[in-house]
Amino acid sequence: MLLIECPYCGERPEPEFVYGGQAHIARPSHPAEVSVEEWTAFLYLRDNTRGVHAERWRHTHGCGRFFNALRDTTTDRFLATYRVGERPPQPPGGWS
Amino acid sequence: MKPFSALSLLREGLSGQRGWKPQWRNPEPKSYYDAIIVGGGGHGLGTAYYLAREHGLTNVAVLEKGWIGGGNTGRNTTIIRSNYLFAESAALYDHALKLWEGLSQALNYNMMFSQRGVLMLAHTVHDMQVSQRHVHANRAAGVDNEWLTPQEARAFCPPLKIDDIRYPVLGAALQRRGGTARHDAVAWGYARGADALGVDIIENCEVTGIRLGPAGAVEGVLTTRGPIRTQRLGVVAAGHSSVIMKMAGVALPLESYPLQALVSEPVKPVFPCVVMSNTIHAYISQSDKGELVIGAGTDAYTSYTQRGALYVPSHALEAICELFPMFRRLRMLRNWGGIVDVSPDRSPIIGKTPVPGLYVNCGWGTGGFKATPGSAHLFAWTIAHNEPHPINAPFTLERFRDGNLIDEAAAAAVAH
């Protein structure tokens, strides 16, 4: 079980959280104007990164807030968590 | 390849089992192949076998990063069934089931294929409606599936507790042609068959890059054992499909999650069939070795670690103990995880890609083992003809762009 640092509440066990998938995917502001390919990419295509992954979590059974995290998907180690709206910090070993 | 037979068993039994030879070669990679398959699991080895056997392509290599059958082929719970909801899926999985039925004979290798029946339990009114819809849809599509009352379910699987539990069993769907097979034998049987037809199986050979020509078509791969040229590249890399395809600039609609399974200490034969409960999330059967083989869920987050949190299998065991009180004192021996490539509609992607000469077979998610022979057979056809077979034609990469999803996610509601 992972220990996850909620930026608002501190370190809590994984079952308090819900995973929210890849972070920083912006919904096109005018969906009717983007191409089918761009809309497909927004809906379905994911980086599925092997390495440092920026992702969303929600502290559902806690403060209820969304936040973002950098986690290495080859070790499951969290490198950082940060609030929504903040830029992702530079991971210690760089982006892989 | 020396065929296995009762006579060869007897002869080796009398001579101390010293005459057996390795079942496949351990060749050095050549500089060129007519086709290269990336991924030495059941699907990849099977693809190479059918390319050689049915399409006359024998200058073929299977490249495997580790050892063959060491990924999800060796990590699943070996359940085989074809009772999917949609006609496209039922056709795909039943194609596989029909191949399973003759596979031991076709490969001269004992798959230990056992059609002991797959019982899928219903615990709520919603479950009953969904299950009965599956039964009717399957029967209309020519796939066997039947509805049992709780008493009939218990008669079919005597250890099952149907009442006085938190979610009483209200009925069950039974596919009698479903069952289990020996997972390692699938990899080894296909490897032996493919090798005998001239296919090179190259282990400890990781693909590190894909070379594209000036027109954007596949020209070869870079590997930890040197570059290899080819014009036809089939990627069957399960949880690592996104990683490999990114080397050719192709993004996939996949996310890779750990899926856990576990086995108990071995006991005498006590469990006659496969039981699945989607609602309280338990999958269980008994291997011929005597271990209970139990499937748990996926972990919540994407990962490539092949392990997960203990609370996930604990949850499955709570359901098992509730349904089968006699297993409460059993000890669990091992648990592990495999990395499964989950697609948005929980259906696989088998077909061509935007890169000429590059083919992909992925997205099998939590349920790829059952499809192994069918997947391999259709993928070989697709590579050989440079177009999808009618059965896998709906399972394209483009279906996400075009909105033609085959939404078994909603149909199955859980991992399957």
Side-chain angles (χ1 to χ4, degrees):
Chain A
M1 191 184 300
L2 305 175
L3 274 178
I4 303 174
E5 172 118 6
C6 169
Y8 305 96
C9 308
E11 217 167 58
R12 298 293 177 88
E14 180 194 327
E16 290 190 14
F17 297 84
V18 169
Y19 180 68
Q22 186 179 334
H24 309 298
I25 298 176
R27 187 175 193 272
S29 47
H30 299 286
E33 291 169 20
V34 299
S35 69
V36 172
E37 280 69 26
E38 285 171 284
W39 188 244
T40 306
F42 163 69
L43 283 182
Y44 298 120
L45 299 187
R46 296 294 175 263
D47 290 344
N48 202 14
T49 306
R50 188 178 197 280
V52 181
H53 187 232
E55 60 196 20
R56 300 192 306 168
W57 286 83
R58 185 177 176 220
H59 193 188
T60 314
H61 301 290
C63 63
R65 294 207 238 189
F66 278 95
F67 60 93
N68 294 326
L70 295 185
R71 185 176 53 92
D72 187 337
T73 60
T74 62
T75 61
D76 290 339
R77 188 175 293 278
F78 279 86
L79 307 174
T81 55
Y82 53 101
R83 299 181 181 200
V84 170
E86 292 176 0
R87 289 178 159 279
Q90 184 68 21
W95 295 93
S96 60
Chain B
M1 177 178 82
K2 239 163 88 177
F4 294 125
S5 65
L7 190 64
S8 71
L9 281 179
L10 183 67
R11 193 184 302 125
E12 287 303 323
L14 292 174
S15 63
Q17 312 286 357
R18 281 187 294 269
W20 300 114
K21 297 279 185 294
Q23 297 296 306
W24 53 87
R25 297 163 295 126
N26 181 22
E28 284 299 312
K30 291 190 256 182
S31 62
Y32 173 82
Y33 289 97
D34 293 331
I36 289 178
I37 305 299
V38 181
H43 293 238
L45 293 163
T47 303
Y49 169 78
Y50 290 116
L51 276 174
R53 173 104 209 176
E54 303 206 340
H55 306 288
L57 273 176
T58 55
N59 185 29
V60 173
V62 177
L63 307 183
E64 166 54 46
K65 178 170 74 170
W67 61 94
I68 62 168
N72 295 348
T73 298
R75 292 165 185 269
N76 64 83
T77 51
T78 79
I79 297 171
I80 295 166
R81 60 185 180 89
S82 65
N83 51 354
Y84 280 70
L85 180 61
F86 294 110
E88 295 91 338
S89 314
L92 176 68
Y93 289 99
D94 212 52
H95 181 65
L97 185 44
K98 284 175 188 150
L99 287 169
W100 277 116
E101 286 169 339
L103 198 58
S104 293
Q105 288 73 22
L107 292 175
N108 178 235
Y109 203 93
N110 187 1
M111 295 290 152
M112 297 165 77
F113 178 54
S114 160
Q115 291 177 297
R116 58 185 71 179
V118 174
L119 196 62
M120 299 174 80
L121 305 180
H123 303 273
T124 64
V125 171
H126 175 74
D127 272 1
M128 288 179 66
Q129 291 168 343
V130 169
S131 299
Q132 290 181 357
R133 184 182 173 206
H134 268 75
V135 169
H136 296 314
N138 289 153
R139 293 172 75 126
V143 173
D144 75 301
N145 201 354
E146 59 195 273
W147 178 253
L148 303 187
T149 64
Q151 289 71 28
E152 288 169 337
R154 188 172 54 191
F156 189 76
C157 181
L160 178 65
K161 192 160 192 239
I162 56 174
D163 42 27
D164 286 332
I165 54 177
R166 174 67 183 82
Y167 291 102
V169 175
L170 303 181
L174 171 65
Q175 186 177 27
R176 292 184 190 271
R177 286 162 68 228
T180 60
R182 172 86 199 279
H183 50 2
D184 294 325
V186 179
W188 298 338
Y190 274 127
R192 173 170 169 267
D195 178 87
L197 295 167
V199 171
D200 282 358
I201 295 160
I202 301 165
E203 295 177 299
N204 299 308
C205 181
E206 182 177 353
V207 170
T208 55
I210 296 175
R211 282 201 346 223
L212 304 180
V218 166
E219 285 198 337
V221 290
L222 305 174
T223 78
T224 49
R225 295 178 67 171
I228 310 174
R229 288 182 295 112
T230 190
Q231 264 96 49
R232 282 189 269 204
L233 184 64
V235 176
V236 208
H240 282 72
S241 299
S242 300
V243 178
I244 303 284
M245 294 299 283
K246 218 173 277 180
M247 295 171 186
V250 177
L252 292 175
L254 295 179
E255 290 187 300
S256 296
Y257 291 90
L259 176 65
Q260 296 188 60
L262 60 163
V263 293
S264 73
E265 57 190 332
V267 289
K268 286 187 175 176
V270 288
F271 204 76
C273 59
V274 179
V275 173
M276 304 174 58
S277 167
N278 291 348
T279 296
I280 60 175
H281 215 122
Y283 304 82
I284 182 168
S285 63
Q286 186 174 23
S287 73
D288 292 350
K289 200 161 55 171
E291 299 163 331
L292 296 180
V293 182
I294 297 168
T298 49
D299 278 80
Y301 45 83
T302 62
S303 178
Y304 288 85
T305 57
Q306 294 186 324
R307 61 173 182 261
L310 189 58
Y311 75 88
V312 175
S314 298
H315 178 72
L317 289 177
E318 286 162 12
I320 296 289
C321 291
E322 178 92 342
L323 287 172
F324 309 103
M326 71 187 220
F327 293 146
R328 282 180 186 166
R329 292 171 64 195
L330 268 185
R331 292 177 181 84
M332 294 298 131
L333 271 193
R334 303 185 298 279
N335 94 313
W336 63 89
I339 301 303
V340 297
D341 44 333
V342 177
S343 69
D345 59 0
R346 303 298 189 277
S347 287
I349 300 162
I350 318 163
K352 299 166 72 170
T353 70
V355 176
L358 180 64
Y359 307 86
V360 72
N361 183 354
C362 64
W364 290 97
T366 56
F369 177 74
K370 65 173 79 70
T372 305
S375 153
H377 185 252
L378 297 170
F379 194 43
W381 204 97
T382 303
I383 294 173
H385 291 80
N386 193 32
E387 64 178 32
H389 185 280
I391 294 179
N392 65 303
F395 294 88
T396 58
L397 195 49
E398 291 76 30
R399 73 174 185 270
F400 298 98
R401 182 195 65 199
D402 301 337
N404 296 323
L405 304 192
I406 303 161
D407 201 355
E408 293 289 348
V414 294
H416 50 266

